[in-house]
Every structure is written in structure tokens, then in C-alpha cells.
Amino acid sequence: MKVALVCPTIGQTRRGYERFIGDLFRELRTRADVTLLKGAGPAAGDEIVVPHLRRTGILEKATGGRLAYTRYRLEFASFAFAAWPRLAAGRYDLVHFIDPPLARWFAHGRRMLRSPIALVFTDAGPVPCDAWRYVDRVHCLTPAAHGAALRAGTPAERLTMIPVGVDPAQFRCDEDRTELRRRHGVPADAFVVLAVTTLNRHHKRIDHLIEEVARVPGALLWIDAGLHPDGDPTLLDLARARLGARFHHTHVASGAVAQLYRCADVLVSASLEESFGMALVEAATTGLPVIAHDSPHFRWLLGDCAELLDMASPGTLAASIARRMDGGAGVPLGGTALGSRLGWHALREDYLAMYRETLSSRLVAPGGTRQ
């Protein structure tokens, strides 16, 4: 079984998509014949960089930053056009990808070259898509996503639900907390509310998070998030205006995220819905208190490892932060249980089994038409 993992934005930005595909590649590369196709970064024998038009490169300069959706479509179309000949020539059995625009393009490439390659798409949301029409299997990350896919018409036999894995050891940090805070420019005595997130209003609700922390005198909001490729810079302006010196912004390398969990007093997500919640799981496995929205998804994901409250109600998050600052009792921690349930050691074989099952029961003929 020869597998290609594909993510055009690896090497360009660090979000959940890139973290997931990158971690999956590292977990599987010693257990199967797996190659990573990415958009930038160093190349190696099993890591191929595919030249393409980046939406934040020459396309952005040519449009003056306008036409964001058009640039997004062109980026993935150009990547697919350059990647598919490599995939076909490499005689891969299966291609696994996470970016929705690639589904249609890969299906076209498969049909034109009459290729037998199987296609697996990870539906990581948050925007619904019809990629199932073009692929052999849709991989869902949560029970809620699995149910939504069924309701949207995806045949049950084409669906597999496997969570994102986490490596708890990757996020352990034993460095001195005071020294770490000094290094990152954060006061040693500050109460740090951390968000490892994406800068947007509609999904991550960063504007709501800023306003809630602004209600709590003395709390410092630390947001770790990048502006590339689609972060909203006006949220940084809002945070500086509302919080002043009580706001800290970074975008650290993935390997340094453990330091942030070590520095923080609590990690918060203001999202009402989430495709998964990698940072929440990572932080909880370190023992860092976590606050998230009270919904079926977060109850499934975190159980009793987090404080779950009504994030839609103004003032509720602020009250929780204030209680913690005053020494209020936190929620019982269950990081060990989370690490056992969602650790890569417990999930990596499930991914390989999904690939084998896809290859043994092809439900889509080459070219994207259903059998």
C-alpha cells in the first residue's frame, strides 16, 4: 500500500489542517510507504514540494489583496494541476487530503488519466462541502461531523469516523515558568488567558473573547495565531485598543506551543462550534485548565477535563476567568484519560485500517463516478 498525504499549505502556515496532516505523516511514515506532498519547506525523499500559485504570493500582489476567494480557488487549482502528474507517476494506491477544493480537481485528474488511485478526504469543516461526490471515502473527525455527513446525503458505507490524534509527550514542558514568561515578554505575576487559534470573528469568535477578557481587570489575553493566509488583522487592533498592555500576540513554531501551555493559567476557546479542537486537547493533556462551550461536541471531546459554559451568553466567560483569578476551584483534570483515548498510539492503526478498507471496497470508479 503506497499512500500520498497532501496538504498545499504545509510549509506556508501553521493551523489545524497543517498540524493534522503533518502529525499523521510522522506517525505513519515508519509503518507504511507514505509520502507527503506540500506547498513549501524543505524537500526530502518522502517529502515533495509542489510548486504552485500561492494566494498570498504573486496573486495577492497582482490583486492588491482583493479577490480573496478567487485567489483561494486558483491556489488549489494550480496545486492540483502540478501535483496530479506526480501522483500518477508515483503509482500511489491512495491519496489522502484535507482541503475541499482538491476533491473536484483530483477527481478530474483521475478521470483524465484513467488512474486507479483511491481518494480519501478528511472533512474538517467548518464549511460544509460536497466532496463526497468525488472521492471514495470521507473521513470525519467527530461523531457530530459523521451525523452531519449522513444527513447531507453521504452514503454510510463511504464514511469513517476517527478523531485527530495527539502526542501528550510533545506538549510536556518542564522549563521554569518564570523564565519562560520572561523570554516571551509576559509579566511573571500576570494571570494569562491563552488562545491558540485562528484570527476570525465568525467561527473562532475572537472579538467575543477580547471583550470578555476586557471585563476582567488584571487578566492578560495571549493570542497565538497567524495572519497568513486568512487571519483578520483588525482583531489585533481591537485587542490592543480594548486591552492595551494586557494583550500579547505571538505566532510561535509548532514545536514551541508546549511553552505557551506552560506559561498560561487557562486556555480558552470562544467557539460555539468546532470541527475538532486540537489545542483544547493538547492543553488538557498537560494539566492546563481549559474552558470551552457547553455543547454535545465539547462534552464528547473533553468530558470532565474542562469547564464547559455558555459562551453565547455575554459575561459568562468573564465571570469564570474572574473566579479563577480569585482562587476559585477549577474543574477536575483528566489529561491522562484524554491522552489514552486520543493518543496517536491508540489511533494510528485505525488510519491504516481505513486506507486498507478503502482500497478493498472501492465505491467510486476512476474519474469520480459512482459504481
Side-chain angles (χ1 to χ4, degrees):
M1 180 171 61
K2 191 174 183 181
V3 176
L5 295 175
V6 177
C7 186
T9 46
I10 286 182
Q12 301 182 60
T13 190
R14 297 185 297 276
R15 302 170 301 170
Y17 279 22
E18 295 78 18
R19 289 275 297 282
F20 164 63
I21 294 294
D23 286 352
L24 182 60
F25 172 62
R26 284 187 288 275
E27 288 295 323
L28 299 185
R29 68 192 304 187
T30 61
R31 293 167 174 81
D33 187 350
V34 180
T35 303
L36 175 67
L37 275 70
K38 57 187 182 179
D46 57 356
E47 295 187 48
I48 298 174
V49 176
V50 179
H52 66 291
L53 291 172
R54 303 179 190 179
R55 77 188 95 158
T56 54
I58 190 172
L59 290 176
E60 184 176 40
K61 293 178 181 178
T63 61
R66 301 183 300 275
L67 304 175
Y69 184 60
T70 299
R71 289 187 284 116
Y72 166 79
R73 293 174 63 188
L74 284 172
E75 175 173 22
F76 287 101
S78 67
F79 184 94
F81 183 80
W84 193 257
R86 291 171 168 83
L87 293 170
R91 298 183 179 278
Y92 293 95
D93 299 302
L94 182 144
V95 174
H96 182 183
F97 61 97
I98 193 171
D99 296 281
L102 294 178
R104 185 186 298 266
W105 288 110
F106 281 173
H108 289 334
R110 183 165 67 170
R111 183 181 64 251
M112 290 175 62
L113 297 179
R114 297 187 179 277
S115 170
I117 294 176
L119 298 177
V120 173
F121 166 66
T122 290
D123 187 354
V127 179
C129 67
D130 63 350
W132 67 269
R133 300 178 183 277
Y134 305 99
V135 302
D136 300 284
R137 186 163 301 272
V138 175
H139 164 225
C140 301
L141 302 176
T142 68
H146 186 272
L150 285 173
R151 291 190 295 275
T154 308
E157 62 271 18
R158 289 209 223 164
L159 285 170
T160 298
M161 199 289 287
I162 311 174
V164 173
V166 64
D167 179 6
Q170 183 181 350
F171 301 100
R172 294 192 191 112
C173 180
D174 298 323
E175 293 188 62
D176 180 75
R177 188 180 183 194
T178 300
E179 170 57 23
L180 277 177
R181 285 191 170 196
R182 184 198 65 76
R183 195 186 311 163
H184 285 282
V186 174
D189 59 349
F191 186 91
V192 175
V193 179
L194 175 66
V196 178
T197 186
T198 301
L199 286 167
N200 67 50
R201 299 168 187 265
H202 58 281
H203 173 212
K204 300 297 185 178
R205 303 177 71 238
I206 300 302
D207 51 337
H208 177 78
L209 175 60
I210 292 167
E211 295 298 342
E212 289 295 293
V213 176
R215 293 171 180 252
V216 189
L220 183 148
L221 176 60
W222 183 344
I223 293 179
D224 187 77
L227 290 170
H228 178 290
D230 47 17
D232 182 352
T234 66
L235 288 168
L236 300 181
D237 297 334
L238 175 64
R240 294 182 183 111
R242 297 289 288 122
L243 296 166
R246 294 196 293 126
F247 174 63
H248 188 64
H249 173 243
T250 58
H251 187 213
V252 304
S254 296
V257 173
Q259 297 179 9
L260 310 192
Y261 297 150
R262 174 68 172 153
C263 288
D265 292 288
V266 62
L267 180 124
V268 174
S269 167
S271 301
L272 300 182
E273 298 179 352
E274 194 58 82
S275 56
F276 192 73
M278 292 172 64
L280 300 174
V281 176
E282 294 167 358
T285 62
T286 71
L288 178 65
V290 169
I291 304 176
H293 183 55
D294 188 5
S295 71
H297 167 70
F298 290 112
R299 288 195 291 271
W300 167 81
L301 181 68
L302 298 165
D304 62 357
C305 302
E307 179 182 3
L308 303 181
L309 48 83
D310 183 6
M311 286 287 176
S313 178
T316 303
L317 174 57
S320 174
I321 295 171
R323 285 196 301 272
R324 290 179 180 275
M325 289 182 67
D326 292 339
V331 173
L333 300 175
T336 301
L338 266 185
S340 298
R341 180 167 65 92
L342 298 175
W344 276 118
H345 65 279
L347 297 174
R348 62 171 74 100
E349 290 301 324
D350 292 341
Y351 280 89
L352 292 173
M354 175 176 67
Y355 298 159
R356 288 191 291 267
E357 182 180 357
T358 301
L359 290 172
S360 66
S361 58
R362 287 283 303 274
L363 296 175
V364 177
T369 58
R370 282 178 281 180
Q371 288 183 343

